[in-house]
Amino acid sequence: MNLSPVIAPSILSADFGNVSREIERIHQAGATWIHLDVMDGNFVPNITFGAVAMESFSKPEGCVFDTHLMVVNPEKHIPAFIKAGADVISIHAEATEHLQYGLKMIRDHGAKASVALNPATPLEALDWVYPDLDMVLLMSVNPGWGGQSFIAPVFDKISSLRQRLQDRGIDIPIQVDGGINLKTIARASLAGTTHFVAGSAVFTVKAGDALDEKDRLETYRKNINGLIEEATRDQLV
Ligand code: DX5
Ligand code: ZN
């Protein structure tokens, strides 16, 4: 079992007025993965940003842009997001007729390929694409918003996916996205999650809050370290 969980703060809960600064803060606070939620107003009701906006986000040295495409027909946009700095791209199995093609395209353009599954989508959606995967993202909320509660049956789904990967001799990260906080992360970790997206649990300071820069950074650091501690607690026994 991986003893160093990866926390990927989701900038969905950050100050959108200054994304690059928030990314820099999160990086300084200890995160190397930055989760970028792209929503098209079609696969999910909200719209966030596209590849053109993403190109303007500055990426600190050593940072991984973990790009979660909640868009229909994601294969149309893959080259643009990789050009914009995406290192890992998750595409939804529910959003494309051409899953294997999309995954291959991600790798062909030099990024890591991942499939995202909504909470009610069966793991069988992965059955014919295992060789094409560098990661699997299991949604633990219905995509579209930050700040929702973890959907409990997904804990079993994580264990079941870890088992399937083991049965096939595949050692890739399982990332879980939605409702990750100090109460849910330990159980998700024990079930086999290695990579955790956390939006509202990290960005507990809001843009307008009267906090100086040092305190804001310290809060992010404390939130990230708290999650890591909870995720590893039961594994160190
Ligand atoms: C939801 C997004 C998530 C979201 C998670 O559609 O994919 O990445 O930001 O937010 P929290 O951690 O607040 O549930
Ligand atoms: Zn996400």
Side-chain angles (χ1 to χ4, degrees):
M1 188 55 69
N2 189 344
L3 285 174
S4 13
V6 173
I7 308 292
S10 160
I11 60 150
L12 193 59
S13 297
D15 175 8
F16 260 82
N18 202 336
V19 176
S20 291
R21 193 156 161 212
E22 288 279 62
I23 291 174
E24 180 56 39
R25 285 177 179 139
I26 278 300
H27 181 60
Q28 278 186 37
T32 50
W33 280 49
I34 310 290
H35 187 79
L36 303 169
D37 285 307
V38 179
M39 303 187 186
D40 68 349
N42 196 356
F43 182 66
V44 290
N46 275 334
I47 300 177
T48 53
F49 53 85
V52 174
M54 190 172 139
E55 236 172 293
S56 72
F57 302 167
S58 35
K59 179 157 64 167
E61 183 79 29
C63 249
V64 173
F65 271 5
D66 170 34
T67 312
H68 178 191
L69 297 186
M70 286 163 274
V71 306
V72 294
N73 302 325
E75 59 280 358
K76 284 187 185 168
H77 308 283
I78 286 163
F81 278 101
I82 292 173
K83 187 168 165 275
D87 300 291
V88 181
I89 296 191
S90 295
I91 57 176
H92 271 265
E94 307 87 356
T96 177
E97 304 271 334
H98 310 287
L99 188 58
Q100 195 277 339
Y101 174 76
L103 293 168
K104 183 173 180 315
M105 186 185 258
I106 295 170
R107 280 185 173 172
D108 285 350
H109 283 78
K112 300 277 186 209
S114 161
V115 170
L117 299 181
N118 282 339
T121 301
L123 291 174
E124 281 70 24
L126 303 173
D127 272 357
W128 304 104
V129 294
Y130 280 106
D132 304 289
L133 292 174
D134 298 306
M135 184 176 90
V136 178
L137 189 173
L138 293 183
M139 290 304 301
S140 38
V141 297
N142 289 297
W145 295 271
Q148 304 180 71
S149 300
F150 196 105
I151 295 171
V154 175
F155 287 121
D156 285 346
K157 191 177 183 185
I158 300 165
S159 315
S160 174
L161 173 58
R162 185 49 78 198
Q163 190 59 56
R164 286 171 193 226
L165 291 170
Q166 267 165 19
D167 291 348
R168 289 170 171 78
I170 300 171
D171 185 19
I172 56 172
I174 297 177
Q175 185 178 55
V176 170
D177 183 4
I180 288 292
N181 55 40
L182 293 174
K183 292 201 176 86
T184 53
I185 195 165
R187 198 168 159 202
S189 173
L190 278 175
T193 311
T194 52
H195 289 50
F196 304 86
V197 177
S200 46
V202 169
F203 292 96
T204 50
V205 184
K206 295 295 157 224
D209 288 355
L211 258 194
D212 67 20
E213 186 62 26
K214 198 167 141 277
D215 289 346
R216 188 175 290 267
L217 203 71
E218 227 14 78
T219 306
Y220 291 172
R221 193 190 307 275
K222 207 173 106 241
N223 291 341
I224 292 169
N225 288 343
L227 289 168
I228 292 175
E229 211 172 291
E230 276 305 308
T232 43
R233 183 183 296 280
D234 294 333
Q235 297 178 13
L236 295 172
V237 186

